[in-house]
Amino acid sequence: MSTELQGRNSEWIEQARVQLADQLDTHRAQLTELTADTGDPRDAHTRAALIVAARRGYDQAVEALNRIAAGRYGRCDKCGGDIPRERLEILPHARYCVPCTA
């Protein structure tokens, strides 16, 4: 997202930042809960998969928050073009525009 576009959308970007921070807190809590040892070996496989998913979500939220802080939020990491706001509203941690995801 260009600097000019970011300036016009600063309120919306702040809302995205708050949403991403909330997601970060949620994933952090999930990881804390999932890494607690229940002592039941039958849960190991399921817990491992849930930990991977929570860690991925955590990392994606951190990366998106870093892009906001750096002024690069809304720019495609591959082509450098703008990621449409509609895509970011659905997937606030999106790194690529739709054509670059194919």
Side-chain angles (χ1 to χ4, degrees):
M1 191 173 288
S2 68
T3 304
E4 178 183 326
L5 191 55
Q6 280 185 340
R8 287 185 285 176
N9 290 313
S10 61
E11 183 179 317
W12 176 80
I13 290 174
E14 177 59 19
Q15 290 172 352
R17 189 197 63 73
V18 169
Q19 181 182 5
L20 286 161
D22 288 345
Q23 287 178 3
L24 187 66
D25 290 340
T26 299
H27 292 303
R28 185 180 296 126
Q30 287 173 336
L31 286 168
T32 299
E33 182 179 329
L34 289 168
T35 55
D37 188 8
T38 63
D40 188 349
R42 295 174 296 172
D43 292 339
H45 181 70
T46 301
R47 290 167 55 82
L50 291 171
I51 288 170
V52 168
R55 192 171 311 262
R56 183 180 312 120
Y58 180 90
D59 291 343
Q60 289 171 335
V62 168
E63 290 170 5
L65 289 167
N66 288 337
R67 287 192 301 277
I68 288 172
R72 294 181 296 113
Y73 186 72
R75 300 286 297 175
C76 177
D77 282 354
K78 187 171 182 180
C79 73
D82 287 342
I83 299 173
R85 180 174 170 170
E86 295 80 12
R87 177 168 172 74
L88 292 169
E89 287 174 350
I90 294 168
L91 196 64
H93 61 270
R95 293 177 48 209
Y96 304 105
C97 63
V98 174
C100 289
T101 59

